Each structure stands twice: as C-alpha cells, then as structure tokens.
Amino acid sequence: MKRNLIFALVLLFAISIAPSFAQKNLKFGHIDSQQLMTMMPEREAAKKKLEQFAKQLEDQLGVMQKEFESKYNDYVSKADSLNDLIRETKERELQDMQKRVQTFQQTAQQNLAKEEEKLIQPVIDKAKKAIEDVAKENNFTYIFDVSMGVVLYYSTDSQDILPLVKVKLGIK
C-alpha cells in the first residue's frame, strides 16, 4: 500500500512538471565542422608545417634506403669472390641496416601522427570554442555536427551556425 502511494505521488509529480519541460523553447543549430576547418587559415599553416616535417622524414628515409641499396648491390656484385667470414659479416651488416630502415619507417609514422595531432589540436580547440561561444550567445540548446554523418535529418527549424562562427573567428 505504501509503495502504491509513493508511486502515485511520484507519477503525479512527473505529470505536473512535464508541461513546463515541453513548453521550454528549444533552439537547435547545426554546423559542418569539416567545412569550417578547411576555411580556417591556422589549419593551412599547420598543414604546411606538417608537410615540411613529413618531407624531412621522407628525405632521411630516402638516404637510408639508398645507402642500403648501394651496400646491397656492392655485396651482390662481390659475393662470389668473398670468403665465408666476410660474406657472413656483410650479410649481418645488411640485415642490421634493413632493420634500422624498417624501425626508422615505423618511428617516422608514429612521429608524423604525433606532430599532426600537436599542430591540428589547437585549430580544433579554437573552432570548438568559437562554436560554443556562438551557441551560448545565441541561446542554442543543441548544436549538431552534420559533417560526422550521425545526424540523419534536420529541419528548417535548425539554424546553420557556420556563418556566425565564421564571423566569430574573423573568416570571410
């Protein structure tokens, strides 16, 4: 009996406050964050720095590969005339060089990913802050990112805030 009374009171309370939630004006907005990112000048600068970093790594890898190829070709051309000890030594040297090249390649990929995150994250943070500021200033309840492909539909009641964010960031 007590349980039923408590349940009835909770149900009555929920019913009494439901209209106040339904009457609240909800304001929805959307933005294509990928489009915004491509418009930001900071992204282009970060992209150029990343390309320079990648070029340095590629150049170093090229030097290492050329050195390996040169030593390999030298070994192949002289292999028949080398005694067993020298041949084994050169083969080990070539194996070690090949491992160093592979290790450098793996490390370079990891470093490139870290560098990209380091350069792009401030741009993402700046865009996110501008979106948050526009949302607060214009009393939006929700902002959906349509570039992520999660939002399947949005009506004309949803406002595209990209122009507002561009103004906030000083992008023309």
Side-chain angles (χ1 to χ4, degrees), residues 34-47:
Q34 293 300 320
Q35 184 180 7
L36 174 64
M37 290 290 291
T38 60
M39 295 175 173
M40 295 178 70
E42 297 89 347
R43 182 179 177 272
E44 195 59 38
K47 185 179 172 184

PDB file of all heavy atoms in Angstrom, residues 34-47:
ATOM      1  N   GLN A  34      33.832  20.150 -40.592  1.00  0.00           N
ATOM      2  CA  GLN A  34      34.904  19.905 -41.559  1.00  0.00           C
ATOM      3  C   GLN A  34      35.032  21.086 -42.522  1.00  0.00           C
ATOM      4  O   GLN A  34      36.135  21.503 -42.853  1.00  0.00           O
ATOM      5  CB  GLN A  34      34.636  18.615 -42.349  1.00  0.00           C
ATOM      6  CG  GLN A  34      34.720  17.369 -41.501  1.00  0.00           C
ATOM      7  CD  GLN A  34      36.083  17.181 -40.857  1.00  0.00           C
ATOM      8  OE1 GLN A  34      37.115  17.420 -41.467  1.00  0.00           O
ATOM      9  NE2 GLN A  34      36.097  16.769 -39.606  1.00  0.00           N
ATOM     10  N   GLN A  35      33.896  21.621 -42.934  1.00  0.00           N
ATOM     11  CA  GLN A  35      33.915  22.793 -43.812  1.00  0.00           C
ATOM     12  C   GLN A  35      34.536  23.980 -43.083  1.00  0.00           C
ATOM     13  O   GLN A  35      35.350  24.714 -43.645  1.00  0.00           O
ATOM     14  CB  GLN A  35      32.493  23.123 -44.272  1.00  0.00           C
ATOM     15  CG  GLN A  35      32.427  24.263 -45.259  1.00  0.00           C
ATOM     16  CD  GLN A  35      30.993  24.566 -45.691  1.00  0.00           C
ATOM     17  OE1 GLN A  35      30.029  24.021 -45.164  1.00  0.00           O
ATOM     18  NE2 GLN A  35      30.867  25.455 -46.644  1.00  0.00           N
ATOM     19  N   LEU A  36      34.166  24.146 -41.813  1.00  0.00           N
ATOM     20  CA  LEU A  36      34.746  25.227 -41.016  1.00  0.00           C
ATOM     21  C   LEU A  36      36.260  25.076 -40.926  1.00  0.00           C
ATOM     22  O   LEU A  36      36.999  26.043 -41.119  1.00  0.00           O
ATOM     23  CB  LEU A  36      34.137  25.244 -39.607  1.00  0.00           C
ATOM     24  CG  LEU A  36      34.763  26.229 -38.623  1.00  0.00           C
ATOM     25  CD1 LEU A  36      34.557  27.667 -39.076  1.00  0.00           C
ATOM     26  CD2 LEU A  36      34.203  26.014 -37.224  1.00  0.00           C
ATOM     27  N   MET A  37      36.724  23.860 -40.654  1.00  0.00           N
ATOM     28  CA  MET A  37      38.164  23.626 -40.511  1.00  0.00           C
ATOM     29  C   MET A  37      38.922  23.979 -41.799  1.00  0.00           C
ATOM     30  O   MET A  37      40.014  24.522 -41.737  1.00  0.00           O
ATOM     31  CB  MET A  37      38.429  22.165 -40.138  1.00  0.00           C
ATOM     32  CG  MET A  37      38.005  21.796 -38.733  1.00  0.00           C
ATOM     33  SD  MET A  37      39.031  22.548 -37.461  1.00  0.00           S
ATOM     34  CE  MET A  37      40.555  21.669 -37.716  1.00  0.00           C
ATOM     35  N   THR A  38      38.329  23.668 -42.948  1.00  0.00           N
ATOM     36  CA  THR A  38      39.020  23.972 -44.207  1.00  0.00           C
ATOM     37  C   THR A  38      39.102  25.471 -44.458  1.00  0.00           C
ATOM     38  O   THR A  38      39.960  25.924 -45.214  1.00  0.00           O
ATOM     39  CB  THR A  38      38.327  23.299 -45.414  1.00  0.00           C
ATOM     40  OG1 THR A  38      36.990  23.763 -45.516  1.00  0.00           O
ATOM     41  CG2 THR A  38      38.369  21.788 -45.297  1.00  0.00           C
ATOM     42  N   MET A  39      38.232  26.235 -43.816  1.00  0.00           N
ATOM     43  CA  MET A  39      38.226  27.687 -44.002  1.00  0.00           C
ATOM     44  C   MET A  39      39.197  28.410 -43.070  1.00  0.00           C
ATOM     45  O   MET A  39      39.513  29.571 -43.295  1.00  0.00           O
ATOM     46  CB  MET A  39      36.820  28.241 -43.748  1.00  0.00           C
ATOM     47  CG  MET A  39      35.783  27.776 -44.713  1.00  0.00           C
ATOM     48  SD  MET A  39      34.184  28.393 -44.169  1.00  0.00           S
ATOM     49  CE  MET A  39      33.174  27.906 -45.529  1.00  0.00           C
ATOM     50  N   MET A  40      39.655  27.734 -42.052  1.00  0.00           N
ATOM     51  CA  MET A  40      40.493  28.378 -41.042  1.00  0.00           C
ATOM     52  C   MET A  40      41.930  28.506 -41.539  1.00  0.00           C
ATOM     53  O   MET A  40      42.556  27.508 -41.904  1.00  0.00           O
ATOM     54  CB  MET A  40      40.434  27.602 -39.722  1.00  0.00           C
ATOM     55  CG  MET A  40      39.062  27.619 -39.089  1.00  0.00           C
ATOM     56  SD  MET A  40      38.975  26.652 -37.567  1.00  0.00           S
ATOM     57  CE  MET A  40      39.973  27.669 -36.469  1.00  0.00           C
ATOM     58  N   PRO A  41      42.481  29.730 -41.537  1.00  0.00           N
ATOM     59  CA  PRO A  41      43.855  29.926 -42.001  1.00  0.00           C
ATOM     60  C   PRO A  41      44.880  29.172 -41.148  1.00  0.00           C
ATOM     61  O   PRO A  41      45.913  28.738 -41.660  1.00  0.00           O
ATOM     62  CB  PRO A  41      44.077  31.437 -41.906  1.00  0.00           C
ATOM     63  CG  PRO A  41      42.827  32.044 -41.415  1.00  0.00           C
ATOM     64  CD  PRO A  41      41.832  30.967 -41.150  1.00  0.00           C
ATOM     65  N   GLU A  42      44.583  28.984 -39.874  1.00  0.00           N
ATOM     66  CA  GLU A  42      45.510  28.269 -38.986  1.00  0.00           C
ATOM     67  C   GLU A  42      45.689  26.822 -39.443  1.00  0.00           C
ATOM     68  O   GLU A  42      46.756  26.249 -39.275  1.00  0.00           O
ATOM     69  CB  GLU A  42      44.990  28.268 -37.535  1.00  0.00           C
ATOM     70  CG  GLU A  42      44.874  29.623 -36.907  1.00  0.00           C
ATOM     71  CD  GLU A  42      43.518  30.292 -37.127  1.00  0.00           C
ATOM     72  OE1 GLU A  42      42.737  29.827 -37.978  1.00  0.00           O
ATOM     73  OE2 GLU A  42      43.249  31.290 -36.460  1.00  0.00           O
ATOM     74  N   ARG A  43      44.637  26.248 -39.995  1.00  0.00           N
ATOM     75  CA  ARG A  43      44.727  24.865 -40.478  1.00  0.00           C
ATOM     76  C   ARG A  43      45.700  24.772 -41.646  1.00  0.00           C
ATOM     77  O   ARG A  43      46.489  23.838 -41.737  1.00  0.00           O
ATOM     78  CB  ARG A  43      43.361  24.344 -40.906  1.00  0.00           C
ATOM     79  CG  ARG A  43      43.413  22.897 -41.369  1.00  0.00           C
ATOM     80  CD  ARG A  43      42.031  22.396 -41.773  1.00  0.00           C
ATOM     81  NE  ARG A  43      42.102  21.050 -42.269  1.00  0.00           N
ATOM     82  CZ  ARG A  43      42.335  20.715 -43.538  1.00  0.00           C
ATOM     83  NH1 ARG A  43      42.523  21.649 -44.443  1.00  0.00           N
ATOM     84  NH2 ARG A  43      42.368  19.467 -43.921  1.00  0.00           N
ATOM     85  N   GLU A  44      45.639  25.735 -42.540  1.00  0.00           N
ATOM     86  CA  GLU A  44      46.542  25.727 -43.699  1.00  0.00           C
ATOM     87  C   GLU A  44      47.996  25.855 -43.240  1.00  0.00           C
ATOM     88  O   GLU A  44      48.880  25.172 -43.759  1.00  0.00           O
ATOM     89  CB  GLU A  44      46.168  26.848 -44.662  1.00  0.00           C
ATOM     90  CG  GLU A  44      46.777  26.714 -46.022  1.00  0.00           C
ATOM     91  CD  GLU A  44      46.417  25.418 -46.749  1.00  0.00           C
ATOM     92  OE1 GLU A  44      45.281  24.948 -46.644  1.00  0.00           O
ATOM     93  OE2 GLU A  44      47.325  24.876 -47.426  1.00  0.00           O
ATOM     94  N   ALA A  45      48.237  26.715 -42.252  1.00  0.00           N
ATOM     95  CA  ALA A  45      49.600  26.873 -41.722  1.00  0.00           C
ATOM     96  C   ALA A  45      50.072  25.579 -41.064  1.00  0.00           C
ATOM     97  O   ALA A  45      51.227  25.159 -41.255  1.00  0.00           O
ATOM     98  CB  ALA A  45      49.637  28.027 -40.721  1.00  0.00           C
ATOM     99  N   ALA A  46      49.184  24.937 -40.306  1.00  0.00           N
ATOM    100  CA  ALA A  46      49.533  23.664 -39.668  1.00  0.00           C
ATOM    101  C   ALA A  46      49.804  22.594 -40.715  1.00  0.00           C
ATOM    102  O   ALA A  46      50.743  21.800 -40.576  1.00  0.00           O
ATOM    103  CB  ALA A  46      48.403  23.222 -38.739  1.00  0.00           C
ATOM    104  N   LYS A  47      49.006  22.598 -41.768  1.00  0.00           N
ATOM    105  CA  LYS A  47      49.187  21.625 -42.848  1.00  0.00           C
ATOM    106  C   LYS A  47      50.547  21.795 -43.521  1.00  0.00           C
ATOM    107  O   LYS A  47      51.244  20.816 -43.805  1.00  0.00           O
ATOM    108  CB  LYS A  47      48.066  21.790 -43.870  1.00  0.00           C
ATOM    109  CG  LYS A  47      48.060  20.777 -44.967  1.00  0.00           C
ATOM    110  CD  LYS A  47      46.881  21.021 -45.914  1.00  0.00           C
ATOM    111  CE  LYS A  47      46.964  20.140 -47.133  1.00  0.00           C
ATOM    112  NZ  LYS A  47      45.897  20.411 -48.090  1.00  0.00           N
TER     113      LYS A  47
END
